Amino acid sequence: MSTNPSTLTDPMSGFWHDDLATADPEIAAAVGKELARQQDKIELIASENIASKAVLEATGSVFTNKYAEGYPGKRYYGGCDYADVVETLAIERAKQLFGCNFANVQPNSGSQMNQAVFLAMLEPGDTFMGLDLNSGGHLTHGSPVNMSGKWFNPVSYGVTEGEELIDMDAVAATAREHKPKLIICGGTAYSRQWDFAAFRAIADEVGAVLLCDMSHISGLVAGGAHPSPFPHCDIVTSTTHKSLRGPRSGIILWNDEKFTKPLNMAVFPGLQGGPLMHVVAAKAVAFKEALAPEFKTYAHRIVENARALAASLEENGLRIVSGGTDNHSMLVDLTAKDVTGKAAEAGLDRAWLTCNKNGIPFDTRSPFVTSGIRLGTPAGTTRGFGPLEFRQIGQLIAEVVDGLSKNGPEGDAQIEESVRGRVAKLCADFPVYPES
Ligand SMILES: *Cc1c(COP(=O)(O)O)cnc(C)c1O
């Protein structure tokens, strides 16, 4: 292809016609290998999912070209008629899906949605409360390396040492002592149900705004497989790419009109410029999918599968933090096997089972090593696995971990090869993007 810009006016120019493989073989090859990885390995990362062809198509659409700073009907650019159509649909569908009065669908990511809430609700130095990272909280809930921990004053709450459940007495005591302006419930590695009403009572007592970051569980909330943070929480944020199964992005939801101006102003112009309209379009598509009756079945199946996986792991000698799961995820404590999370993640990857190492409550190892792994069922459930398959996956994980326990970080090559064979069979029986 000529680099002469005048060739762009030629309707036959490669610019208009070349597919990715022709235009950029190196990137096309990496995309092809990533597709094969997703097809041939079992995805157990709790924060990942497999989006529909329609969501991928919207994400790859011509809306990638469009600037639409502002909000529907109040834009700073011309030509926003169709941008208004997709954003209005995304807003209306999000409100319907989660049963709330207002939605902002512009945050580019989960981190940015939370930054927007901080910008709207707090001044630098203000005190807020969130779940400790070591107990399953998120970076953006006050980690010292994150802006939330650097520019604000986080006080954290955690889980109890024995039951490994959120310590509501400690939440109340910490709130009374520190009088936070904002309390955050929700996390990334907590496998039990959240008691939103109890958080509401504490927030009311100390006069705090209550935020639920339901990123991990929003698909379950949408499908009725986890209680809703509404009406208890003032503001609810969520990523859209985890159990909700949309594009990589974030949303902010609320009920009280008094939050509308501060939150919308915080997203734009406070934090972002032009929204990613192709991603807003894909969010609208994902919300439509989540409003369909089949999504309820999907959400309940995620939880059923997580229970089956946890039971199978326990039967095979592995300890589940807090003794089980109520949602899509679980933490596996490998301490008794003398296997680190780091070694387990690598060993399982060699056996084509993808997961992440994760600290367990009161972990004595560093975050780069850890004593646990986090597992989730949303992606496997999307490809069609049921409790039977997840019981088998629990068995496969336990075999790999036993190999690591016996031989150290190199694991048992024979076991890992045998597991790969059984993973390949499961993947062939439940294909991902079968036409690609
Ligand atoms: C994933 C997650 C986020 C951040 O999302 P990104 O899109 O990765 O920035 C924020 N909060 C919680 C609870 C999450 O699980």
Side-chain angles (χ1 to χ4, degrees), residues 47 108-114 136-141 186-189 213-216 237 239 241-242 248-250 374:
S47 50
N108 294 335
S109 72
S111 298
Q112 275 171 296
M113 79 204 176
N114 286 341
H138 191 259
L139 272 175
T140 58
H141 299 182
T188 61
D213 178 351
M214 63 169 180
S215 288
H216 261 260
T237 55
T239 52
H241 49 280
K242 296 175 184 171
R248 312 197 63 77
S249 202
R374 186 184 64 167

Side-chain angles (χ1 to χ4, degrees), residues 80-124:
C80 287
D81 309 52
Y82 310 111
D84 281 4
V85 170
V86 297
E87 186 167 347
T88 303
L89 278 169
I91 290 168
E92 292 308 315
R93 289 173 183 172
K95 283 157 47 179
Q96 194 188 340
L97 188 59
F98 294 107
C100 60
N101 296 333
F102 301 98
N104 187 309
V105 297
Q106 291 193 5
N108 294 335
S109 72
S111 298
Q112 275 171 296
M113 79 204 176
N114 286 341
Q115 284 165 18
V117 176
F118 279 59
L119 184 60
M121 296 296 137
L122 303 177
E123 297 292 329

Side-chain angles (χ1 to χ4, degrees), residues 236-319:
V236 175
T237 55
S238 180
T239 52
T240 52
H241 49 280
K242 296 175 184 171
S243 56
L244 196 50
R245 208 165 59 182
R248 312 197 63 77
S249 202
I251 49 171
I252 307 175
L253 310 166
W254 63 98
N255 269 333
D256 192 329
E257 168 109 57
K258 76 177 181 209
F259 295 120
T260 300
K261 195 168 177 204
L263 287 172
N264 283 343
M265 290 286 287
V267 174
F268 170 83
L271 205 58
Q272 295 184 176
L276 309 176
M277 286 315 298
H278 52 308
V279 182
V280 173
K283 277 183 258 197
V285 174
F287 299 154
K288 181 175 181 191
E289 291 174 1
L291 281 162
E294 303 88 88
F295 198 85
K296 283 197 174 51
T297 313
Y298 169 64
H300 284 92
R301 186 89 156 165
I302 289 174
V303 176
E304 195 188 347
N305 284 341
R307 293 213 171 105
L309 177 59
S312 164
L313 290 164
E314 278 185 328
E315 283 159 25
N316 285 286
L318 292 169
R319 189 182 88 82

